[in-house]
């Protein structure tokens, strides 16, 4: 079968970066992820992953493990809940999580991202695709009323201007009271580095990340942006190699822990 050229640039191209890192684990016998659909997509794309991103690292697979666990816990607590994945790209949570066939999954992403996703993952009655920016509030109307809601934003908010994210969260809290929001974020130093043009490799410059935030700022920022009931910062761990050892060692110290990437779970009031 002929391979498919993804033809993605800018922020949408980062879905190939995260795909590469997740596939690096899925292809290992002792990998963090077991996901045949992920490997299928990875092998079907005509793209020089290592040329752009270097050797696969476990960072994004580690992140996916945390998101999988949170989605699984939500599905167990709310079997008929609604899971909205903003900027999902080529993520394949739905193939790794058994939700008992009752949950509604909604993917919201840019039209070019939905187009490449649908080459491999078809929408159906329980798995809907919405070709809109996460900032376009029209996706709100796709969420049926009266059901528990979990919204995930994996690798998204750091690429948006913070005032736009603040406005989105404010509107989400009004529209979906008691909903849960799960998102990851990068520290201020990394945001500043990308704004100066941070090269991952000679062939790939990480798109600008206008929003960086340190750990101690998360809760007061969230409460200033929206009506929030609870805020909890979850562990973001690197599980393999020297980076994992260094990350775990540095995280013992408040100074470094304050300045590491993290994942936050918010419950709207």
């Amino acid at each position: 079968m002929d391979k498919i050229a993804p033809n993605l640039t800018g922020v949408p191209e980062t879905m190939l970066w995260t795909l590469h890192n997740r596939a690096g684990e899925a292809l290992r016998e002792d990998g963090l992820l077991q996901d045949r659909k992920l490997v299928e997509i990875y092998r079907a794309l005509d793209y020089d992953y290592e040329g752009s991103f270097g050797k696969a690292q476990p960072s994004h697979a580690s992140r996916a493990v945390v998101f999988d666990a949170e989605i699984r816990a939500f599905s167990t607590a709310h079997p008929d809940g609604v899971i909205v994945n903003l900027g999902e790209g080529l993520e394949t949570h739905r193939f790794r999580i058994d939700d008992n066939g009752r949950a509604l999954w909604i993917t919201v992403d840019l039209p070019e991202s939905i187009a490449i996703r649908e080459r491999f993952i078809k929408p159906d009655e329980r798995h809907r695709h919405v070709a809109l920016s996460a900032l376009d509030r029209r996706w709100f109307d796709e969420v049926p009323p009266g059901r528990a809601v979990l919204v995930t934003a994996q690798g998204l908010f750091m690429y948006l201007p913070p005032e736009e994210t603040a406005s989105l969260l404010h509107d989400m809290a009004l529209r979906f009271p008691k909903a849960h929001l799960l998102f990851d974020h990068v520290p201020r130093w990394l945001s500043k580095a990308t704004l100066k043009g941070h090269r991952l490799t000679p062939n790939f410059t990480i798109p600008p990340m206008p929003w960086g935030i340190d750990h101690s700022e998360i809760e007061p920022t969230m409460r200033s942006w929206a009506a929030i009931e609870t805020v909890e910062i979850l562990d973001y761990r690197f599980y393999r190699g020297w980076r994992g050892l260094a990350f775990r060692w540095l995280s013992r110290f408040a100074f470094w822990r304050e300045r590491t990437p993290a994942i936050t779970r918010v419950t709207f009031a």
Side-chain angles (χ1 to χ4, degrees):
M1 184 177 70
D2 292 338
K3 289 195 172 187
I4 297 169
N7 297 321
L8 297 170
T9 60
V11 174
E13 190 177 9
T14 63
M15 77 170 71
L16 304 178
W17 178 24
T18 61
L19 176 71
H20 177 51
N21 285 338
R22 294 196 313 275
E25 287 297 311
L27 288 166
R28 295 177 63 109
E29 288 187 5
D30 61 345
L32 298 173
L33 298 175
Q34 300 298 317
D35 190 333
R36 285 182 290 181
K37 173 59 74 171
L38 163 60
V39 173
E40 171 197 326
I41 297 171
Y42 182 71
R43 289 174 168 165
L45 292 176
D46 183 12
Y47 188 83
D48 183 5
Y49 298 100
E50 289 199 5
S52 291
F53 312 123
K55 294 288 186 181
Q57 302 297 331
S59 53
H60 294 117
S62 300
R63 182 178 71 183
V65 167
V66 177
F67 275 75
D68 280 359
E70 290 295 311
I71 295 172
R72 192 175 290 113
F74 173 81
S75 295
T76 299
H78 308 283
D80 62 345
V82 182
I83 301 159
V84 182
N85 294 317
L86 303 179
E88 189 170 23
L90 292 170
E91 177 56 82
T92 46
H93 291 300
R94 62 179 264 200
F95 296 94
R96 299 193 298 267
I97 296 171
D98 178 11
D99 62 10
N100 298 316
R102 294 168 59 187
L104 172 64
W105 296 65
I106 301 174
T107 296
V108 181
D109 213 332
L110 297 171
E112 60 266 38
S113 300
I114 291 292
I116 189 69
R117 180 178 177 84
E118 291 190 350
R119 298 294 296 267
F120 306 102
I121 303 171
K122 301 299 183 184
D124 57 37
E125 185 176 341
R126 288 186 48 249
H127 303 91
R128 301 178 188 171
H129 289 170
V130 180
L132 293 172
S133 163
L135 297 173
D136 189 328
R137 281 28 167 208
R138 286 180 293 172
W139 69 258
F140 288 9
D141 296 332
E142 299 292 328
V143 180
R147 297 169 69 170
V149 176
L150 168 65
V151 180
T152 77
Q154 190 174 182
L156 175 63
F157 288 162
M158 64 282 292
Y159 294 110
L160 303 177
E163 61 274 13
E164 295 190 7
T165 301
S167 177
L168 176 64
L169 266 60
H170 175 268
D171 292 348
M172 285 171 54
L174 292 176
R175 182 67 176 267
F176 307 115
K178 301 298 182 182
H180 306 283
L181 170 66
L182 186 70
F183 65 96
D184 62 313
H185 41 91
V186 300
R188 285 184 175 273
W189 69 263
L190 181 53
S191 169
K192 291 176 181 177
T194 67
L195 296 178
K196 295 176 182 178
H198 182 63
R199 285 187 174 272
L200 183 67
T201 69
N203 299 317
F204 184 76
T205 299
I206 298 175
M209 298 178 177
W211 186 46
I213 188 165
D214 295 340
H215 282 220
S216 62
E217 301 173 300
I218 281 291
E219 181 161 1
T221 298
M222 292 297 99
R223 294 191 182 281
S224 72
W225 282 3
I228 300 295
E229 185 172 284
T230 62
V231 179
E232 183 177 359
I233 299 178
L234 308 176
D235 286 340
Y236 188 136
R237 299 176 182 173
F238 292 86
Y239 290 91
R240 194 181 301 285
W242 68 266
R243 289 178 176 82
L245 292 173
F247 188 85
R248 286 192 291 275
W249 187 80
L250 289 172
S251 294
R252 297 164 54 194
F253 303 97
F255 176 85
W256 294 107
R257 189 167 58 250
E258 171 75 357
R259 293 161 177 82
T260 56
I263 298 167
T264 289
R265 179 177 61 229
V266 164
T267 302
F268 295 127

